[in-house]
Amino acid sequence: MRSVEQIAELLRKKGLKLTPQRRLIIDILLHDRTHPTVEEVYKKVLETMPEVSRTTVYNTIREMLNLGEVAEVQDLSDGGIRYDTTGEPHHHFFCVRCRALVDVDLALPPVAESSSELADCVILKQQLTLYGLCPACSELQRQEEKMEQKEEAVSSR
Amino acid sequence: MRSVEQIAELLRKKGLKLTPQRRLIIDILLHDRTHPTVEEVYKKVLETMPEVSRTTVYNTIREMLNLGEVAEVQDLSDGGIRYDTTGEPHHHFFCVRCRALVDVDLALPPVAESSSELADCVILKQQLTLYGLCPACSELQRQEEKMEQKEEAVSSR
DNA sequence: CTGATTGCAAATCGTTTGCACGTGC
DNA sequence: GCACGTGCAAACGATTTGCAATCAG
């Protein structure tokens, strides 16, 4: 699913209403690839409709969760729960320094069968998360390490 | 790292103290394979030392995080943050029904290189999470579906 | 003896809930 | 018109913080 119109259709089928607030929030969710928290969505909403309440953002995101159009992302002990707005299954790279969470498009072979422990389990989804440093942060890290070495050299004189 | 004694050694090196409370909490953490929340650790602590405060449990877990002896586990929107007390890298199976999180021992080839997006990233860890139904829950689910079918048959009469 | 640790209470922060008012359909 | 939606304020639950008393090294 993609467009606001398509979601609107789903809402109608459930007897739910399409208010201007919802339209905006759904639009923002559908076009956001940054896995925003509720707070982040809320701030974007305010840019266009300054009167919308946090409650409405929470409500709408909950509806989207129920519709299955948005998914919770594994919390990385940050501000709050992040949401993933892509319907397509995909994997994640998380930068442990700047805390960015980006989608990674790689094919993961269904690896589950190789484990005997999982023999009787029903596997619905497999989600890979890579932890590391994004290009910008790995550069910064390298610079910091150089600085530290210099400091040590000075203090040991 | 494994034993309480080894952790105690690490603490001493950092100028930290080994109180009876800490000894107990660390012992519980090291022997727990269920990815407990703070609350669950706290309850276990109370069984032995009923006077320990939640604050101390929080503090000690924080220290263990700093030492790298315990890791936060991706939140699955439950009671609270869960902790992983195994030093060894491994993967997880999460039952979406009973919310159990169990370790899975399977070898995942370092799949990161296959993506060009990750070319300049430093990958520190890769963590696979499988979502599905554990044997017990998939059985329950099957039974429920049967029940529903019967109900539908009755109501459509 | 001294700085780290404990444990209490209060504060914080994300999220949920209760409810009167407003509005799509 | 009526059910659903909105937005306010209050409630909640997990976690953090401030601080005085206590204790390990």
Side-chain angles (χ1 to χ4, degrees):
Chain A
M1 281 293 159
R2 305 242 92 153
S3 72
V4 180
E5 300 317 316
Q6 285 169 313
I7 307 285
E9 181 60 27
L10 291 176
L11 289 175
R12 238 171 282 131
K13 274 184 194 160
K14 281 204 160 191
L16 303 175
K17 294 167 185 175
L18 186 63
T19 62
Q21 292 97 321
R22 275 196 184 160
R23 182 184 289 278
L24 173 61
I25 296 167
I26 291 170
D27 190 54
I28 287 170
L29 285 173
L30 290 183
H31 292 93
D32 198 310
R33 237 34 6 145
T34 68
H35 309 85
T37 61
V38 170
E39 197 59 25
E40 285 160 357
V41 174
Y42 176 58
K43 278 186 192 141
K44 277 202 188 179
V45 169
L46 290 191
E47 291 171 15
T48 310
M49 293 181 63
E51 302 310 314
V52 175
S53 77
R54 234 177 292 260
T55 307
T56 299
V57 178
Y58 275 103
N59 286 341
T60 304
I61 290 179
R62 164 133 32 97
E63 283 309 330
M64 295 290 280
L65 280 173
N66 293 343
L67 290 179
E69 292 301 315
V70 145
E72 288 190 356
V73 176
Q74 298 136 349
D75 185 325
L76 300 141
S77 47
D78 240 335
I81 302 167
R82 297 194 191 189
Y83 295 90
D84 195 323
T85 58
T86 328
E88 314 302 312
H90 58 269
H91 301 288
H92 289 147
F93 171 80
F94 178 65
C95 178
V96 298
R97 196 172 204 272
C98 69
R99 321 226 106 205
L101 184 67
V102 302
D103 293 346
V104 175
D105 190 23
L106 48 77
L108 187 66
V111 81
E113 288 78 18
S114 64
S115 166
S116 59
E117 307 169 73
L118 298 172
D120 294 321
C121 296
V122 180
I123 307 293
L124 300 171
K125 188 176 104 172
Q126 51 181 29
Q127 164 88 59
L128 181 68
T129 307
L130 302 167
Y131 297 85
L133 295 165
C134 68
C137 284
S138 72
E139 177 57 34
L140 283 170
Q141 195 95 343
R142 237 175 285 135
Q143 288 178 10
E144 271 180 23
E145 276 163 22
K146 273 188 208 160
M147 295 292 284
E148 276 171 31
Q149 281 171 17
K150 279 187 195 167
E151 279 170 33
E152 278 170 32
V154 170
S155 66
S156 67
R157 243 180 244 162
Chain B
M1 282 292 160
R2 306 242 89 153
S3 74
V4 180
E5 300 316 318
Q6 285 170 312
I7 307 284
E9 181 59 27
L10 289 176
L11 289 175
R12 238 171 283 131
K13 273 184 194 163
K14 280 203 160 195
L16 302 174
K17 293 170 183 174
L18 186 64
T19 62
Q21 294 95 321
R22 274 197 183 159
R23 183 184 290 278
L24 173 60
I25 296 167
I26 291 170
D27 190 55
I28 288 171
L29 284 174
L30 289 183
H31 293 91
D32 198 310
R33 236 34 6 144
T34 68
H35 310 84
T37 60
V38 170
E39 196 60 26
E40 285 160 356
V41 175
Y42 176 60
K43 279 186 190 140
K44 277 201 187 177
V45 168
L46 290 191
E47 291 171 14
T48 310
M49 294 181 64
E51 302 311 314
V52 175
S53 76
R54 235 178 290 261
T55 307
T56 300
V57 178
Y58 274 103
N59 286 340
T60 304
I61 290 179
R62 163 131 34 96
E63 283 309 331
M64 294 290 279
L65 280 172
N66 293 342
L67 290 178
E69 292 300 317
V70 145
E72 289 189 356
V73 176
Q74 298 136 352
D75 184 326
L76 300 141
S77 45
D78 242 333
I81 301 167
R82 298 193 189 190
Y83 295 90
D84 195 321
T85 57
T86 329
E88 314 302 310
H90 58 271
H91 302 287
H92 289 146
F93 171 80
F94 178 66
C95 177
V96 297
R97 196 173 203 275
C98 68
R99 322 225 105 204
L101 184 67
V102 303
D103 292 347
V104 175
D105 191 21
L106 50 77
L108 187 67
V111 81
E113 287 78 19
S114 63
S115 167
S116 57
E117 309 168 72
L118 299 172
D120 296 321
C121 296
V122 180
I123 306 293
L124 300 171
K125 187 176 105 172
Q126 53 180 27
Q127 164 89 59
L128 182 68
T129 306
L130 302 167
Y131 297 85
L133 295 166
C134 69
C137 284
S138 70
E139 178 58 34
L140 283 170
Q141 195 95 343
R142 237 176 284 134
Q143 287 178 10
E144 271 181 21
E145 277 163 23
K146 274 188 206 159
M147 295 292 285
E148 278 172 30
Q149 281 171 17
K150 280 186 194 168
E151 279 170 32
E152 278 171 33
V154 169
S155 66
S156 66
R157 242 181 243 165

